[in-house]
Amino acid sequence: MAENCKNCKLRAKYDRKPDSLLGRFWRWHINFCPGWKAYFTNLSDEEKKKLREKYHFTKY
């Protein structure tokens, strides 16, 4: 499940157009998604830092 987060189609939509409806949905969704949590918590500290900055993400 968590492997899918790296190549998530909704995440790609956010990356292309963060203000789109699907982009905003994905960003909201990662706040409670168990797959994203598993993916994110298994990253190195450097990768976590990059994603925190890119997605303005402060959980975990």
Side-chain angles (χ1 to χ4, degrees):
M1 178 194 297
E3 303 86 37
N4 294 335
C5 293
K6 185 174 186 175
N7 301 313
C8 176
K9 291 180 182 182
L10 289 177
R11 180 179 174 187
K13 289 191 183 290
Y14 178 91
D15 290 342
R16 280 193 303 274
K17 196 170 180 186
D19 292 331
S20 70
L21 181 60
L22 290 175
R24 290 182 293 148
F25 173 78
W26 177 81
R27 179 55 191 84
W28 168 79
H29 170 79
I30 66 172
N31 286 313
F32 57 86
C33 175
W36 176 260
K37 181 179 181 180
Y39 169 72
F40 187 81
T41 57
N42 285 315
L43 295 173
S44 69
D45 288 341
E46 184 64 30
E47 290 172 312
K48 286 179 187 177
K49 182 180 177 184
K50 288 178 185 177
L51 290 181
R52 282 190 180 108
E53 291 172 4
K54 183 176 183 176
Y55 298 126
H56 311 286
F57 186 67
T58 57
K59 283 184 109 176
Y60 318 124

